[in-house]
Amino acid sequence: MSDTLKPETIAIVKATAPALRKHGLEITTRMYERLFVDPDVRALFDQAAQESGEQPKRLAQAILGFAENVDKLEALSGAVERMAHRHIQTGVKPEHYPMVAAALLPAIRDILGDAATDEVLSAWGEAYGLLADILIAREKELYQLAA
Ligand code: HEM
């Protein structure tokens, strides 16, 4: 597990973040279309929506916004803590993380088209992977504490 990203990767993520933000809702919608093909994943969100009273579209927006700050992770520790707790409440497991990546990255390409080059998608994939590693590690501790 790597705990840093190459400066080039961070630069690409930051340079493309405004385009992703601009099309955030479309990317989010497309991501969920892809993600919810799996009924088990869909069930996690149905349960969360019942509690929060809304379809949790803010998740994808959060991933995009969070990735923009991937070069200042120490400032995100409060956010990591909140996410990890919410994930524990809703039963998110390590094996779900690749599914979200596999839905998010093609969704970015679907919406941005040719602007989402392989280089751009690979940079976003790396940023996502780093955040996923951090969340998975914290969630493991929380699941152990709860057991
Ligand atoms: C790097 C990856 C991820 C990031 C940055 C992220 C971020 C977030 C954030 C910010 C929230 C809202 C927390 C709050 O209520 O304050 C959230 C909630 C949630 N996440 Fe994640 N998440 C990630 C991966 C995943 C994965 C892999 C799954 C499972 C498929 C997942 C499922 C959920 C669910 C079910 C909720 C609850 C939504 C609700 O409260 O309505 N997340 N996540």
Side-chain angles (χ1 to χ4, degrees), residues 8-20 68 120 124:
E8 307 88 273
T9 304
I10 291 173
I12 294 171
V13 167
K14 290 198 161 271
T16 50
L20 267 70
E68 283 180 64
V120 166
W124 278 89

Side-chain angles (χ1 to χ4, degrees), residues 27-91:
I27 293 172
T28 301
T29 305
R30 189 78 186 107
M31 175 185 129
Y32 283 109
E33 279 169 14
R34 289 179 168 276
L35 193 62
F36 288 170
V37 171
D38 185 323
D40 292 338
V41 172
R42 166 132 224 153
L44 296 177
F45 285 88
D46 284 346
Q47 180 203 334
Q50 277 167 21
E51 288 170 26
S52 62
E54 62 173 67
Q55 184 69 21
K57 294 218 159 156
R58 63 183 192 267
L59 167 59
Q61 298 277 11
I63 295 177
L64 299 177
F66 196 52
E68 283 180 64
N69 293 304
V70 74
D71 58 340
K72 32 181 178 315
L73 290 173
E74 57 298 335
L76 292 172
S77 56
V80 167
E81 211 46 32
R82 274 197 308 280
M83 286 178 228
H85 278 95
R86 189 66 183 134
H87 285 167
I88 297 297
Q89 286 168 353
T90 44

